[in-house]
Amino acid sequence: MNNFEEYCTQFVQSVGNREGAISPAVINSASFAYGTPEIGEGIFDGSVKKPLYSRVGNPTTAKLESILAEMDGGVGAIATSSGMAATTLATMSLLACGNEIISIGGLFGGTYALFNETLRRFGITTHFFDVEELENIKSTINENTKIIFLESVGNPNMRLPNIKAIATIANKAGIVLMVDNTITPLSISPLKLGADIVVYSTTKIITGNASALGGCAVFRAINDGDDKFKTDRYAEVHPFIKKVGKMALVPNAKKRVMRDFGMSANAHASYQTMLGLETLPLRMDRIVKSVETIAKELDRNGLNINHPCLKSHPHHTLYTTEFKNGCGTLLTIDMQTKEKAFAFLNKTKLAIITANIGDSRTLALHMASTIYSDFDDETKDFLGITDGLIRISIGLENPQDIISDFLQAAQ
Ligand code: PLP
């Protein structure tokens, strides 16, 4: 384990300035003076590279975007007001009424509701599959399919997708593959595995301390020769390819969604997110090791733990081959009943009870009575939500302290 080293130099050197103020400048201005009408005209037609208005771009946020694009090997990125905003931005930039999404894996409740309820109201249909249903996924693709969406790790069902295999299906069929990599930044590089767009909630481990809500979408470059975005299926992107070539997906998302829906990141949140990025590789490294230690020790002590580092997990082999840098901060404990889960949560002295994940502190939440309380039994079953399920996000505490605390809480 551990390829986080390569990011240590990159992040601290790109967040800090080498001249003047070292900490990034926070440009807290909604609007920007153009000086002359000629410059204003040039800013609007793109020939002058100066800020236009913070809904469509802010200099502090632009710095964050360039670091996140480089992190994933993308050609560009757009930061947003939340992780849900990033998923909305990226999906809506490609979708129209009558289009279809194929969504794979255990899904964060907010994303499930976006696809199954909200986008449905606009005539967009989503087909949901487990990570292992590759044949059904292939046979569901049709002329209306625009996006195959997956979460790098099922939150909270902890099932692991074979991203390479799914990318092969998407690329053969000429369909966009979008990956929510919120749980595994740095550990998994979706664009290198064949995905086209990556989305993040930066609220989680990227910022890592509950100080800023945020999200980001990272886009790959359009290829010079053949490219799925040049086919009729993605005709809406063609004017942007004509205008800006390999950068096309960025203005496509900005002009077709950000400008009109306005889910822009604010400068202060972008600043907080950059401060988080500086220590992301160190925190990831420590937490993925702690998660394994804690999962194995609690399992040995008879708790019902779900994490793919355990040999009993159905995706243990995939974990050891494709998730060599771990799969993020999560594990789950199934206490069998709601009463036992509540008793555990009332007895833990370390875990903070909240709906967030990826924090410096260990966080815990009973799933069925909170995020998934509105969902019917069939959906909960599909998403792996049982009555006694507690989602844990491990923090930076001493793992032995967490083990001792959880063992006493489980008694
Ligand atoms: N994606 C995943 C995997 C998440 O866990 C979450 C939030 O919990 C989101 C997206 C949404 O992020 P945000 O709360 O920043 O909107």
Side-chain angles (χ1 to χ4, degrees), residues 67-83:
I67 298 168
L68 290 172
E70 192 188 350
M71 170 179 95
D72 267 339
V75 73
I78 301 178
T80 53
S81 54
S82 71

Side-chain angles (χ1 to χ4, degrees), residues 335 337-348 390 408-411:
M335 295 299 293
T337 65
K338 176 182 171 183
E339 289 67 33
K340 285 187 183 159
F342 274 33
F344 177 97
L345 291 170
N346 279 316
K347 274 164 106 181
T348 169
I390 300 173
Q408 69 76 27
Q411 271 170 10

Side-chain angles (χ1 to χ4, degrees), residues 328-405:
T329 68
L330 298 184
L331 57 85
T332 63
I333 307 177
D334 195 337
M335 295 299 293
Q336 310 304 330
T337 65
K338 176 182 171 183
E339 289 67 33
K340 285 187 183 159
F342 274 33
F344 177 97
L345 291 170
N346 279 316
K347 274 164 106 181
T348 169
K349 294 187 175 67
L350 287 184
I352 295 172
I353 301 166
T354 181
N356 200 13
I357 58 173
D359 198 90
S360 299
R361 290 142 286 259
T362 292
L363 312 176
L365 192 67
H366 178 246
M367 294 280 92
S369 62
T370 58
I371 295 175
Y372 297 89
S373 56
D374 282 350
F375 291 33
D376 60 31
D377 286 347
E378 196 189 331
T379 309
K380 280 196 275 195
D381 203 34
F382 170 72
L383 296 174
I385 312 300
T386 53
D387 290 345
L389 193 73
I390 300 173
R391 181 183 69 189
I392 307 283
S393 176
I394 297 297
L396 295 171
E397 300 93 342
N398 179 342
Q400 295 309 324
D401 290 342
I402 299 172
I403 291 166
S404 309
D405 179 56

Side-chain angles (χ1 to χ4, degrees), residues 16 42 64 98 117 159 164 171 183 202 207 301 304 344 352 356 362 398 405:
L64 169 67
E117 294 170 26
R159 289 172 72 73
K164 276 188 204 154
N171 287 323
I183 298 178
T202 57
T207 301
N301 280 274
N304 194 343
F344 177 97
I352 295 172
N356 200 13
T362 292
N398 179 342
D405 179 56

Side-chain angles (χ1 to χ4, degrees), residues 82-84 108 111 151 155 180 182-183 201 203-204 213-214 355 357:
S82 71
M84 283 313 303
F108 165 60
T111 311
E151 261 177 27
N155 169 15
D180 182 341
T182 296
I183 298 178
S201 165
T203 318
K204 314 295 188 254
L213 193 69
I357 58 173

Side-chain angles (χ1 to χ4, degrees), residues 22 25 39 84 104 115 214 235 245 249 256 269 287-288 324 381:
I22 293 174
I39 293 177
M84 283 313 303
I104 304 172
F115 290 173
L249 295 177
R256 302 183 75 236
I287 294 178
V288 292
K324 290 202 171 95
D381 203 34

Side-chain angles (χ1 to χ4, degrees), residues 14-264:
S14 51
V15 171
N17 297 312
R18 301 187 64 81
E19 273 185 49
I22 293 174
S23 196
V26 184
I27 310 291
N28 266 329
S29 191
S31 58
F32 302 90
Y34 308 144
T36 68
E38 289 78 12
I39 293 177
E41 185 181 35
I43 289 171
F44 271 75
D45 73 19
S47 59
V48 175
K49 300 283 171 229
K50 283 189 169 175
L52 187 154
Y53 183 67
S54 273
R55 175 158 36 78
V56 289
N58 169 284
T60 307
T61 299
K63 186 173 171 82
L64 169 67
E65 289 166 342
S66 74
I67 298 168
L68 290 172
E70 192 188 350
M71 170 179 95
D72 267 339
V75 73
I78 301 178
T80 53
S81 54
S82 71
M84 283 313 303
T87 302
T88 305
L89 171 90
T91 51
M92 294 301 274
S93 74
L94 299 174
L95 294 168
C97 182
N99 287 163
E100 298 183 10
I101 302 173
I102 290 177
S103 172
I104 304 172
L107 213 53
F108 165 60
T111 311
Y112 186 86
L114 171 71
F115 290 173
N116 197 44
E117 294 170 26
T118 305
L119 294 189
R120 194 179 291 282
R121 286 196 282 116
F122 296 91
I124 293 153
T125 306
T126 303
H127 307 273
F128 296 94
F129 293 102
D130 176 58
V131 288
E132 288 182 359
E133 292 185 272
L134 298 188
E135 287 310 314
N136 290 339
I137 289 163
K138 273 190 217 163
S139 62
T140 301
I141 293 172
N142 64 46
E143 69 278 10
N144 295 318
T145 312
K146 290 295 269 299
I147 296 168
I148 297 181
F149 184 95
L150 63 84
E151 261 177 27
S152 58
V153 177
N155 169 15
N157 75 4
M158 302 305 296
R159 289 172 72 73
L160 300 181
N162 186 333
I163 302 177
K164 276 188 204 154
I166 295 167
T168 303
I169 294 173
N171 287 323
K172 262 196 186 151
I175 311 287
V176 165
L177 177 62
M178 200 175 284
V179 176
D180 182 341
N181 202 32
T182 296
I183 298 178
T184 46
L186 315 188
S187 315
I188 296 289
S189 299
L191 297 188
K192 290 184 190 133
L193 297 175
D196 304 287
I197 300 173
V198 193
V199 293
Y200 291 98
S201 165
T202 57
T203 318
K204 314 295 188 254
I205 187 89
I206 289 182
T207 301
N209 53 28
S211 66
L213 193 69
C216 189
V218 181
F219 303 90
R220 75 154 167 89
I222 303 287
N223 299 318
D224 284 338
D226 283 348
D227 192 301
K228 65 178 79 157
F229 285 105
K230 294 178 183 167
T231 63
D232 290 349
R233 195 184 292 270
Y234 299 103
E236 66 279 1
V237 183
H238 296 178
F240 297 99
I241 298 179
K242 232 182 194 169
K243 200 165 175 207
V244 297
K246 64 181 181 165
M247 290 292 296
L249 295 177
V250 178
N252 175 62
K254 270 211 172 161
K255 288 233 161 129
R256 302 183 75 236
V257 190
M258 180 70 97
R259 183 194 61 191
D260 304 346
F261 285 66
M263 64 275 273
S264 332

